[in-house]
Amino acid sequence: MSDAVKLWTGEFYNEGVSGHSGLFDKLNEECGVFGVFGHPDASSLCYYGLHALQHRGQESAGICTADPDHFQYYRGMGLAKEVFNSETLGPLTGSSAIAHVRYSTAGESKLANAQPLVFKYREGDLAIATNGNLDNANIIKRNLEKQGSIFQTTSDTEVLAHLIARSKHDDIVDAVKDALQQVVGGFAFLILTRDKLIAALDPNGLRPFVIGRLGSAYLFASETCAFDAVGGTYYRDMKPGELLVLDRDGLHEDRFTEGGQRAICAMEYIYFARPDSDIDTINIHSARKRMGKRLATEAFVDADVVTGVPDSSISAAIGFAEQTGIPYELGLIKNRYTGRTFIQPSQELREQGVKMKLSAVRKVVEGKRVVMIDDSIVRGTTSLRIVNLLREAGATEVHVRISSPPFMNPCYYGIDTPSRKELIAAMHSLEEIRKAINADSLHFLSREGLLESIGEGSTGKQSGYCTACFDNSYPTEIVDVTKIGCACD
Ligand code: SF4
């Protein structure tokens, strides 16, 4: 038993479904995008695609549809199923569409920033949906404002729209290329006009972005799980620096820049993406299982049960259990129906420890030495709460194993992260963190172990992952250090 057992503090109440109420200390997904070209039910496909991508953002949802005679959109706050019904989806006719689910920090959650953002451009209507972050957006914005531009939102996406509108090129594809050449960051863009759908991925391929097919129609999505949801099939991943244009003549493959060093976000494999998605043909669940197996070889501990923090750590926990022969058990259960609530518990209920989001299974952990697998430690507050949950349920020892290296640096490519001084691993030694989270032992997966675990399933055609939040090695120049987080905000 560790020397400083901290008892449950009673703070673990009323957490929003997306977990960014401030009480649940996890990283937050950026956004999800979905696009369709050449299908009569484009808006319905978007609706189901957004459902599948809902884990990437729960603050707002929107769909914009187009054909040569129509251009219409609907956006609202909340989950896709709350925003869309037959009344709001019905008018969205047209055979091409782009759609978006958005994550935002609570204070900036407003409809004006919901995407797709829709603009009047000199050549007609234009809608943009983004996943990611433009690191130099603030700098471009200040310059444009000096030249008289007026911004209606606080979204980076509007910066791209201004750059497109101000381009010297009349042709929309040339104007988009011109705009993309001026921005720095990690981004996946879908741009819709009445007759074209344009898709573009940043020069390092930081954000996941895949192309699918459904009959003769083309699909685009942040993750392949969205293709499964609509009966589509995976075609290929977008390439770094690529720009694809779909119009009545079909697919045109182009680039807006020569690709830089490929650097897919490693955290997508560790935590963000859904286990049934593949990124660059590597299945997420399988990669996480390999991380758990590798963690077991790097930091074995004798114990009675292995459990994973739901949902994202379960695959790694299964891998750890398989490798060690220690049985995997459901020691922690997540309440899936928490939703948003504004009711604060009374002091009496607080003292009784009303826990809305996560519970330990007493019959599983009581009297047992438990290995608790989690995917990351951010500030450390969540880990402390979960370790204490297990102890309160009777675990005699709690050994924490993390299926990623210590998270020490902020992300500038679309993941909402705290500043460096709030990251426990940036400020404290391993032993200090162990004590702070009240664990009997603590180990993180090595960077090499992580990369080998991800890459094992790769076809070998490509390699290169962003691991900047672990090793401070950013694949792009960081232009604006104040610009942390998501382009949607
Ligand atoms: S810094 Fe971390 S979270 Fe951000 S893109 Fe790189 S690996 Fe992903």
Side-chain angles (χ1 to χ4, degrees):
M1 178 77 76
S2 66
D3 39 17
V5 176
K6 293 179 185 124
L7 291 175
W8 180 252
T9 58
E11 290 175 281
F12 204 40
Y13 302 92
N14 291 340
E15 290 162 2
V17 67
S18 57
H20 47 78
S21 63
L23 292 176
F24 205 56
D25 167 38
K26 297 300 284 185
L27 297 169
N28 285 300
E29 297 86 344
E30 341 76 282
C31 296
V33 293
F34 190 81
V36 180
F37 190 88
H39 196 287
D41 291 325
S43 62
S44 299
L45 293 176
C46 282
Y47 173 70
Y48 291 110
L50 291 186
H51 252 290
L53 297 172
Q54 194 75 78
H55 60 290
R56 301 185 71 87
Q58 300 89 30
E59 285 294 331
S60 67
I63 299 173
C64 179
T65 58
D67 61 27
D69 301 319
H70 303 95
F71 197 86
Q72 55 268 305
Y73 66 96
Y74 190 83
R75 300 174 311 197
M77 303 306 292
L79 305 174
K81 70 177 181 193
E82 295 164 350
V83 172
F84 291 104
N85 52 40
S86 50
E87 227 165 78
T88 54
L89 210 54
L92 300 180
T93 56
S95 60
S96 56
I98 62 173
H100 191 263
V101 284
R102 172 174 179 261
Y103 158 77
S104 81
T105 51
E108 290 167 324
S109 176
K110 56 182 185 184
L111 189 57
N113 281 351
Q115 295 191 28
L117 290 183
V118 179
F119 307 92
K120 284 278 177 206
Y121 161 64
R122 63 181 182 273
E123 300 296 312
D125 296 299
L126 185 78
I128 308 182
T130 323
N131 171 31
N133 185 57
L134 303 183
D135 179 37
N136 62 343
N138 283 344
I139 296 163
I140 295 174
K141 192 173 174 184
R142 274 199 296 276
N143 286 339
L144 292 176
E145 280 172 341
K146 275 187 206 152
Q147 294 164 39
S149 291
I150 297 169
F151 285 79
Q152 313 220 337
T153 73
T154 55
S155 163
D156 286 7
T157 308
E158 193 180 357
V159 171
L160 191 84
H162 278 261
L163 292 175
I164 294 170
R166 296 172 71 100
S167 169
K168 60 184 186 302
H169 298 285
D170 285 333
D171 177 74
I172 181 68
V173 176
D174 291 334
V176 168
K177 280 189 194 173
D178 191 19
L180 290 172
Q181 283 157 5
Q182 297 174 59
V183 297
V184 177
F187 51 80
F189 276 112
L190 281 174
I191 299 169
L192 187 69
T193 68
R194 286 185 180 230
D195 60 357
K196 286 186 179 59
L197 191 152
I198 301 170
L201 180 63
D202 70 79
N204 299 99
L206 279 149
R207 301 268 59 94
F209 202 16
V210 279
I211 313 164
R213 299 300 307 264
L214 181 60
S216 59
Y218 280 89
L219 308 173
F220 292 88
S222 294
E223 291 182 38
T224 58
C225 64
F227 298 154
D228 298 331
V230 300
T233 52
Y234 166 79
Y235 179 56
R236 70 170 171 86
D237 282 58
M238 287 281 291
K239 295 174 193 151
E242 190 170 41
L243 181 133
L244 296 185
V245 182
L246 281 151
D247 60 19
R248 64 181 179 189
D249 298 322
L251 174 70
H252 308 273
E253 298 183 348
D254 200 350
R255 310 189 57 79
F256 64 90
T257 179
E258 283 314 307
Q261 171 64 41
R262 182 175 170 276
I264 297 180
C265 170
M267 279 305 292
E268 292 281 354
Y269 290 94
I270 297 162
Y271 171 58
F272 296 124
R274 251 174 56 164
D276 54 337
S277 287
D278 299 342
I279 299 178
D280 191 30
T281 69
I282 298 170
N283 173 249
I284 300 298
H285 164 72
S286 307
R288 287 181 189 160
K289 237 179 110 175
R290 288 192 293 270
M291 290 171 207
K293 285 183 173 223
R294 177 66 180 249
L295 191 53
T297 61
E298 290 185 4
F300 173 79
V301 59
D302 196 16
D304 302 309
V305 291
V306 178
T307 194
V309 178
D311 293 316
S312 51
S313 308
I314 289 178
S315 304
I318 292 170
F320 192 99
E322 260 185 39
Q323 185 69 29
T324 56
I326 302 169
Y328 168 77
E329 290 283 1
L330 277 181
L332 292 161
I333 299 288
K334 186 173 171 185
N335 178 0
R336 292 179 196 289
Y337 305 101
T338 310
R340 293 178 189 80
T341 170
F342 300 99
I343 301 166
Q344 294 298 320
S346 64
Q347 188 56 31
E348 195 185 344
L349 281 176
R350 276 179 184 273
E351 277 157 18
Q352 284 170 17
V354 178
K355 298 162 186 102
M356 291 187 64
K357 194 154 187 174
L358 203 61
S359 316
V361 183
R362 180 172 289 277
K363 292 271 191 265
V364 169
V365 302
E366 194 166 30
K368 304 269 174 56
R369 297 167 298 163
V370 178
V371 182
M372 182 193 109
I373 309 289
D374 204 353
D375 48 66
S376 53
I377 297 183
V378 184
R379 295 180 181 86
T381 47
T382 299
S383 306
L384 170 63
R385 288 175 183 138
I386 301 173
V387 170
N388 283 346
L389 265 182
L390 291 166
R391 290 197 190 284
E392 285 172 15
T396 55
E397 294 175 18
V398 181
H399 300 275
V400 176
R401 296 291 179 272
I402 304 296
S403 59
S404 65
F407 196 103
M408 301 171 78
N409 307 290
C411 178
Y412 300 99
Y413 306 123
I415 306 301
D416 187 38
T417 46
S419 65
R420 192 173 274 115
K421 66 178 186 306
E422 293 174 83
L423 298 170
I424 192 168
M427 309 307 290
H428 297 279
S429 69
L430 186 69
E431 177 57 12
E432 286 169 342
I433 303 169
R434 182 196 69 74
K435 280 190 182 159
I437 66 169
N438 195 22
D440 290 279
S441 71
L442 168 68
H443 281 279
F444 292 85
L445 182 62
S446 67
R447 181 180 176 280
E448 297 64 39
L450 169 69
L451 293 180
E452 284 170 28
S453 302
I454 298 173
E456 214 173 277
S458 164
T459 56
K461 289 190 303 255
Q462 297 172 311
S463 62
Y465 300 96
C466 176
T467 50
C469 44
F470 311 122
D471 59 12
N472 203 25
S473 174
Y474 292 92
T476 69
E477 185 193 353
I478 301 304
V479 186
D480 183 355
V481 290
T482 63
K483 196 81 180 61
I484 300 173
C486 179
C488 319
D489 291 334

